Amino acid sequence: MAHVCIHWFRKGLRLHDNPALVYALKECKELYPVFILDPYLYNTQVGINRWRFLLGALKDLDCSLRKLNSRLFVLKGKPEDVFPKLFDKWKVTKLTYEYDTEPYSLSRDEKVTSLAKEHGVDVSYKISHTLYNTERIMEENDGKPPLTFKRLQAIVQKLGPPKKPIPAPTLENMKDVETHCSEENEKKYGIPTAEELGLDLTSLGEELFPGGEQEALRRLDEHMKRTRKHSDPPVSLHGQLLWREFFYTCSVGIPNFNKMEGNPVCTQVDWDTNPECLAAWREARTGFPFIDAIMTQLRQEGWIHHLARHAVACFLTRGDLWISWEEGEKVFEELLLDGDWALNAGNWQWLSASAFFHQFFRVYSPVAFGKKTDKNGDYIKKYLPLLKKFPPQYIYEPWKAPRSVQQAAGCIVGKDYPHPIVQHEQISKKNIQRMKEAYAKRSSDSNESPSKKQGVKRKAPSVIDLLQKKKRKV
DNA sequence: ATGTAGGTTGAGGAA
DNA sequence: ATTCCTCAACCTACA
């Protein structure tokens, strides 16, 4: 008996390396590739650049599906409201999707699965968003997520190489499969335009990073060709994939992973509430050209270099402004095209020395760090053209330039460009002391006995142990 | 168990 | 230009 199948696209907007899609085509007579604009995910915290990226990816996916005599069906609404109607209307017998480990996704998928069962629809998912099954990684580590990269590497070594990506379906695979591409459906389920979504894309600059599978594969290909000698993990591309796996596994095994409170691996810090400083950081007016240039690029282009992320994250949190990493997390989520729930939360904890990374006395200087690789300040000049006439010796610290130099540069600090929001040298020293106190408190909190050192070692993993036991019962 | 090594990329100065 | 040391001293993994 052949199936009427919905394949539900969510994160993996691609045809290759999509085992759930291939599974959907088995014994299938009708296929409905579906994407849902879920108000929970897309109404809040999505910057206009990310919208453009998403629409591009959907168009690319639709285009690829049409080459297979199929198409993408785009719907709006809560998935638990949308699916029951589709099940009835299309007489669906099977639903497939790629497994997604985010807490919201898990609860959403659980709801949809039980609705599907009520409608007599078979549900299948495949793991292909991560290299490995994150549960399997934890199994190899006594049921806990590995908390160091080295440990993850050792586990992965034991598990062997991940499955190779499978090719995209071909016309041959689709020969017995039909998709109803009627004129009426065209209007009803088409990809919405920016205007229909109330977005003004004309305010955006050039699209430097188009969304979609074809562009992604092209970039990967280009990278692999360009890189003659591939470095080793952790800094290689391979290493980056393992870092991704590392944070994904942590995000599955550690409760409240995107928050400080209730997160057992996160050091509890008395961050300040400081809306003015937060706004200055977000809006690129901290008075530190390197920081402001990075925040400008982030807003304009939706992508910034890895080390640039380090610099602004350290500045917002433990380095200078002493604002919670959760605030930075929200801003990155809104603006980064490559924003990802697990990686965002993991890296913010890393950079704020709240978890994984603990050498809080190593503070990135908002002046010196950029100078290391860009003495002339070309990067600053590109994103803050207001400062481009400053000579290299002052471009990272324009407030130190004599009045005459500022006048010659056509930019007066305090008038055309802000004064530095903090005095880095003093404030970072003070903040290191505050971090020290937070760590000391963490040690004493998790340890009743007077011998602190031992207590930390014993108590820390036992918290996770308890949580794991709880989980197993459920 | 207790000590030690290492931790994806700090900064600044000396050699 | 590159490497090493010091600053002050964190955590996790492993022997």
Side-chain angles (χ1 to χ4, degrees):
Chain A
M1 198 203 74
H3 281 286
V4 176
C5 184
I6 291 180
H7 177 75
W8 182 14
F9 283 100
R10 303 98 63 82
K11 280 190 176 175
L13 303 179
R14 61 173 187 265
L15 298 190
H16 85 288
D17 190 26
N18 195 337
L21 176 64
V22 168
Y23 185 73
L25 297 175
K26 281 194 177 150
E27 288 161 31
C28 175
K29 60 175 180 183
E30 277 177 54
L31 177 73
Y32 292 92
V34 159
F35 181 86
I36 299 175
L37 284 165
D38 179 346
Y40 179 85
L41 291 175
Y42 298 105
N43 276 12
T44 53
Q45 293 278 324
V46 176
I48 190 153
N49 244 324
R50 286 196 67 182
W51 268 112
R52 177 165 71 174
F53 188 80
L54 175 68
L55 292 177
L58 293 176
K59 278 179 213 158
D60 177 74
L61 184 62
D62 184 48
C63 180
S64 298
L65 285 165
R66 281 173 196 269
K67 286 177 189 161
L68 296 175
N69 299 325
S70 184
R71 59 160 297 189
L72 187 65
F73 293 76
V74 179
L75 295 107
K76 285 185 214 164
K78 288 197 260 177
E80 63 263 38
D81 296 336
V82 170
F83 274 115
K85 288 175 198 157
L86 296 183
F87 293 152
D88 289 338
K89 189 171 183 178
W90 293 337
K91 300 190 170 47
V92 174
T93 62
K94 189 167 133 188
L95 171 68
T96 59
Y97 60 81
E98 178 181 60
Y99 191 62
D100 180 352
T101 53
E102 283 183 30
Y104 170 75
S105 310
L106 289 172
S107 71
R108 172 198 65 193
D109 295 351
E110 201 179 319
K111 274 184 218 160
V112 170
T113 299
S114 80
L115 287 166
K117 292 215 169 111
E118 283 170 26
H119 285 76
V121 175
D122 280 350
V123 180
S124 296
Y125 63 78
K126 303 282 178 191
I127 292 170
S128 51
H129 188 63
T130 46
L131 297 174
Y132 298 86
N133 180 349
T134 52
E135 300 285 350
R136 182 80 187 85
I137 292 174
M138 288 193 280
E139 243 172 62
E140 286 293 325
N141 196 49
D142 299 327
K144 305 166 292 186
L147 294 177
T148 63
F149 185 70
K150 273 261 150 36
R151 184 79 197 126
L152 177 99
Q153 271 185 304
I155 294 164
V156 158
Q157 198 81 46
K158 227 195 281 178
L159 292 177
K163 280 185 204 153
K164 288 206 168 158
I166 55 171
T170 60
L171 274 170
E172 173 63 23
N173 300 135
M174 296 290 287
K175 71 177 194 303
D176 300 322
V177 182
E178 196 187 353
T179 297
H180 291 297
C181 302
S182 68
E183 190 81 14
E184 191 203 334
N185 281 349
E186 208 66 48
K187 281 180 201 144
K188 205 167 174 186
Y189 302 113
I191 298 166
T193 62
E195 295 77 55
E196 282 164 354
L197 293 164
L199 305 167
D200 179 19
L201 298 186
T202 56
S203 64
L204 289 173
E206 189 195 343
E207 190 169 15
L208 296 170
F209 311 102
E213 180 181 23
Q214 294 315 305
E215 171 69 7
L217 288 174
R218 189 193 65 73
R219 280 176 178 270
L220 178 62
D221 206 38
E222 195 182 80
H223 177 87
M224 300 313 283
K225 269 186 207 152
R226 191 179 55 222
T227 314
R228 278 198 194 147
K229 202 178 148 221
H230 293 278
S231 51
D232 292 320
V235 290
S236 63
L237 179 60
H238 176 208
Q240 295 307 313
L241 291 175
L242 294 178
W243 276 106
R244 180 175 179 276
E245 206 74 3
F246 174 71
F247 285 128
Y248 259 89
T249 310
C250 288
S251 78
V252 172
I254 298 164
N256 300 304
F257 191 63
N258 64 331
K259 297 187 190 77
M260 179 176 82
E261 277 181 43
N263 177 339
V265 303
C266 184
T267 304
Q268 305 295 301
V269 178
D270 61 335
W271 304 114
D272 291 336
T273 304
N274 192 334
E276 290 82 19
C277 281
L278 175 59
W281 178 81
R282 196 176 51 223
E283 294 159 18
R285 41 183 179 82
T286 66
F288 288 92
F290 185 56
I291 300 298
D292 294 341
I294 294 168
M295 294 306 286
T296 301
Q297 186 188 20
L298 172 61
R299 187 167 297 274
Q300 281 177 6
E301 300 178 1
W303 181 87
I304 49 177
H305 188 274
H306 183 55
L307 293 181
R309 297 176 196 210
H310 285 208
V312 295
C314 184
F315 187 87
L316 178 73
T317 58
R318 66 188 170 88
D320 296 86
L321 301 185
W322 203 256
I323 291 172
S324 169
W325 58 269
E326 289 178 38
E327 296 299 330
E329 192 182 23
K330 285 179 214 162
V331 173
F332 274 24
E333 187 176 315
E334 180 194 346
L335 298 177
L336 276 176
L337 296 180
D338 59 349
D340 178 286
W341 189 86
L343 307 188
N344 201 18
N347 280 305
W348 272 100
Q349 285 174 83
W350 182 292
L351 265 306
S352 62
S354 298
F356 312 113
F357 173 80
H358 307 282
Q359 291 167 291
F360 52 76
F361 42 87
R362 291 190 173 177
V363 176
Y364 290 90
S365 161
V367 171
F369 189 58
K371 270 188 197 168
K372 264 201 298 202
T373 45
D374 181 16
K375 264 193 159 163
N376 274 329
D378 293 336
Y379 177 77
I380 292 170
K381 290 176 185 177
K382 180 171 178 190
Y383 291 100
L384 302 176
L386 179 75
L387 300 173
K388 71 169 180 249
K389 285 186 185 163
F390 273 94
Q393 67 182 120
Y394 293 119
I395 185 113
Y396 285 88
E397 310 165 272
W399 63 91
K400 285 192 178 168
R403 188 81 183 175
S404 59
V405 174
Q406 295 186 27
Q407 271 163 352
C411 175
I412 306 297
V413 174
K415 186 170 150 257
D416 305 309
Y417 182 72
H419 282 294
I421 195 170
V422 288
Q423 287 192 285
H424 174 73
E425 295 308 323
Q426 282 98 313
I427 204 88
S428 62
K429 285 202 175 72
K430 202 178 122 197
N431 289 348
I432 288 171
Q433 290 310 307
R434 289 178 87 172
M435 279 309 284
K436 206 165 145 183
E437 283 160 27
Y439 269 82
K441 198 154 174 290
R442 165 187 162 137
S443 305
S444 61
D445 278 358
S446 62
N447 174 36
E448 277 86 336
S449 83
S451 166
K452 281 178 187 175
K453 256 194 157 181
Q454 285 180 5
V456 177
K457 281 182 183 171
R458 283 192 200 135
K459 199 83 184 186
S462 75
V463 174
I464 296 164
D465 276 344
L466 280 170
L467 291 159
Q468 282 302 318
K469 273 175 199 159
K470 241 186 190 174
K471 238 184 149 182
R472 267 181 231 129
K473 275 180 199 167
V474 178

